[in-house]
Amino acid sequence: MASYFGYTVAVSDVNNDGLDDILVGAPLFMEREFESNPREVGQVYLYLQESTLPFKDAQTLAGTEVFGRFGNSIAPLGDLNQDGYNDIAIGAPFAGEDRRGKVLIYNGASNGLNSNPSQVLRGMWASQSMPAGFGFTLRGDSDIDKNDYPDLIVGAFGAGKVVVYRARPVVTVDARLLLFPVIINPENKTCHLPNSVAWAACFNVSVCVAFESPGISDKIVLRAELQLDSLKVKGAVKRTLFLDYQQSQHVFLIRIARQNLLTCKDFVVYLRDETEFRDKLSPINISLNYSLDESAFSDGLAVNPILNYYQENVLAEQAYILVDCGEDNVCIPDLKLSAVPDRDQIVIGEENYVMLVINSRNEGEGAYEAELHIKIPPEADYTGVERNNKALRVLSCDYKMENETRMVICDLGNPMAAGTNFSSGIRFNVQHFENAELSIQFELQVRSSNKVNPNSNLVDLRIDISVLAQVKIRGVSHPAQIVLPIHNWKPKDEPTKEDDIGPLVEHIYELQNIGPSAINDTILYVEWPVLSRKEFLLYILHVQTHGPLQCQTSSAINSLEIKFAVPEDTPELAAFLRNSSIPHSVGRREAKVVEHQKNSARILNCTNVECLVITCSVGLLERGKSVALKIRSRLWASTFLQRKNGHYTLSVNVSFEVKKMPYKVQPAKLSEGSIAIITSVIWATPNISFIIPLWVIILAILLGLLVLAMLTLALWKCGFFDRARPPRDDMADRVQLTSDKTTDT
């Protein structure tokens, strides 16, 4: 409706069947792709005559610009390009830039008109003063300049002048690209390279052209360009070069003296040494493109010729490198791949070095540019190839990124010959476990550039991930024993200072992760004996933490608000964390007492007294890290002084439980454990025989010797050692006389 169908009508034989065809314009035709928004683009209908009077269904040519009035004018042009089919010009007087107008040229063909225009004439090109309406009227099919090609007159509405377009002669070129030989034997080195002692394998490239074109002189010049190995991407190694120019491309001119005369130009191309490139299988593409050298045309021509629009001006041929693949020169490999890791599982936290032992085989024909491709999992890093094992072949491998995928690519040979079978080792370091699943996955495959059966089987290699953490808890009481009574000390009914309560008792506990894996979300429990029958036992004053540790108590500590002083860092805690023993003095007397009373002590723990529970949340503990808890307390001495000669053991139970480890993979059983820290309370009674210290014995002996010496000196001074002795002769006479009297008798 209202498309103005029939506004313009033209007759021409566009398909060269000897029958006239009819073109009908409808410049106000509305394209109704969407009913709510029709577009007035115009349309032209072509009716091909099948026989006298009957016509086929219309072929339509539609405009593309709204309100352009496509089909407002139609003009038969005759045969513009001398291909045997008449061509048509269609005007769209209000299309184009600033609605200056357009004229579109459609070429005829055996089935009607080509659907796309071969040329578009624009009003603004004709003259800057040209008003809107260019193409409102058209006249064609007349050779104005007598060059055997029809010309076109274009009128503009209200302009008072026309634009004359003269058709350019069309040159049809017959171009041929010839290669000899097509298959190049790299071993047949017949060409001597310029400025070198080296020889190379060569082949010939011939460019032959002929042309025909009505209306021009018998002489044209073509500008041609040859490109060697043109399928290789920019920057890639070109496998062939021109022998004379040492380049992979060459621009030259071909002069053709007359029409239909085949003119040839020959070039020698050589193959680079095999060490300079890897690709031996893909064809060597030789491409030729050409154009008219318009500078060679004489000035006498009214318009310069143009190449046939419907003829390709690019040719390509392919040469091949001879490979050891039989008579058909087609290699069909049979690649096989297997791989095993040198360990069955990886433990998070250890130095996880993994070597993949890979066996590569080729049971078919040669595999060219054979490479081992290994896709690296996110948890692993490539460290190198195994070089210390003589049973494993050393490969040349490179780390690469392919589409954000980390790869290791190893050269297996070019070619990887038939019957090849070798093993090699590739090493990786596995350390990144932030998002690790239950296993890590390596994907391996051998790939080649062969066209048939180029790849091996895909190997999906998985290594299990496990976690293991050995957690150790230890503790100490300082002092370990308290001996009552306390010299020169008495308890107070209402203590205000910590010294008023009793002896200082400090407990230190350490939770250490020996590793190798880290732990987190761990709970530490301390069960502290605090009351017995409403009487205090160990009165907690302060809780001090070291490391990622947060604690809370089941009830308030230091409820009596006893004043105390806590140093920022105690030597006991520092010594304990250095694995040193905490210094505390236990005299020989106390040691003897402990030995005597250890079997008679009563144990006080959470089963028989009231306890305060300290619950601590432990943060992330990596391998070798630890947390410590120090509890400062005082023994409530009055509780124990009321029970003379009572011997007690205060037992604090310390336990831990690992709730979770900071990985997606978790162990079958999480760590847990407990210890009991003992503080003994003992009495020193008079009836116990104490051991006399050695220094007292030595001092007593020395004092005794000194007194004896002084007494001896005093007796000597008094003359005790100066008494007269009886004469020995008188005594002998008296003995003899007595003996004689006895004999006489």
Side-chain angles (χ1 to χ4, degrees), residues 355-392:
M355 182 175 71
L356 305 184
V357 180
I358 299 161
N359 180 256
S360 307
R361 306 183 302 279
N362 183 11
E363 299 176 359
E365 295 177 305
Y368 285 81
E369 295 184 84
E371 293 177 333
L372 171 65
H373 289 241
I374 305 175
K375 182 180 177 182
I376 309 174
E379 299 83 3
D381 293 314
Y382 169 65
T383 59
V385 299
E386 176 60 38
R387 300 180 182 273
N388 299 323
N389 192 331
K390 294 183 179 180
L392 300 177

Side-chain angles (χ1 to χ4, degrees), residues 509-681:
Y509 318 117
E510 182 189 38
L511 184 70
Q512 183 181 22
N513 180 17
I514 301 176
S517 306
I519 61 172
N520 67 346
D521 196 8
T522 303
I523 306 299
L524 178 68
Y525 301 98
V526 179
E527 297 174 317
W528 187 272
V530 64
L531 288 173
S532 177
R533 299 177 183 177
K534 305 300 181 180
E535 295 178 312
F536 286 112
L537 300 175
L538 285 174
Y539 184 83
I540 298 179
L541 296 169
H542 180 69
V543 175
Q544 180 183 355
T545 61
H546 177 83
L549 194 65
Q550 293 183 346
C551 300
Q552 59 184 9
T553 58
S554 59
S555 58
I557 61 174
N558 194 15
S559 58
L560 301 180
E561 299 183 355
I562 304 297
K563 295 181 180 180
F564 65 94
V566 178
E568 292 184 1
D569 193 9
T570 63
E572 294 85 359
L573 178 59
F576 184 77
L577 296 178
R578 290 195 303 268
N579 293 323
S580 304
S581 60
I582 296 178
H584 60 275
S585 60
V586 180
R588 292 180 178 274
R589 176 174 176 268
E590 287 86 348
K592 181 67 177 178
V593 170
V594 172
E595 182 68 22
H596 182 79
Q597 298 179 349
K598 64 180 181 179
N599 294 326
S600 60
R602 180 186 174 189
I603 298 176
L604 301 179
N605 56 27
C606 293
T607 61
N608 50 23
V609 298
E610 185 177 341
C611 283
L612 178 145
V613 179
I614 302 174
T615 304
C616 299
S617 176
V618 184
L620 177 66
L621 281 186
E622 296 180 344
R623 181 178 186 175
K625 301 296 183 179
S626 63
V627 295
L629 175 67
K630 179 180 178 180
I631 301 176
R632 182 183 179 91
S633 69
R634 290 276 177 169
L635 182 75
W636 202 273
S638 59
T639 300
F640 297 92
L641 291 174
Q642 295 174 10
R643 298 164 176 81
K644 292 185 178 181
N645 299 327
H647 313 306
Y648 298 93
T649 296
L650 297 168
S651 177
V652 179
N653 186 62
V654 184
S655 61
F656 73 91
E657 183 179 358
V658 179
K659 298 291 186 181
K660 186 180 178 182
M661 300 181 75
Y663 313 105
K664 288 186 178 181
V665 56
Q666 296 291 315
K669 184 178 181 182
L670 295 165
S671 298
E672 59 183 9
S674 65
I675 57 170
I677 307 301
I678 303 300
T679 302
S680 300
V681 180

Side-chain angles (χ1 to χ4, degrees), residues 13 49 56 160 178 214 235 241 271 339 360 411 421 435 447-448 480 485 537 555 595 625 656 663 729 744:
D13 182 9
Q49 192 174 184
K56 295 182 180 179
L178 306 174
L241 299 174
L271 182 68
S360 307
D411 183 12
N421 186 343
N435 300 308
R447 302 175 186 174
S448 70
L537 300 175
S555 58
E595 182 68 22
K625 301 296 183 179
F656 73 91
Y663 313 105
D729 293 341
D744 293 343

Side-chain angles (χ1 to χ4, degrees), residues 469-488:
Q470 182 181 354
V471 184
K472 177 182 176 182
I473 188 169
R474 62 185 184 127
V476 68
S477 173
H478 175 65
Q481 301 92 20
I482 297 176
V483 180
L484 297 179
I486 304 170
H487 183 65
N488 294 330

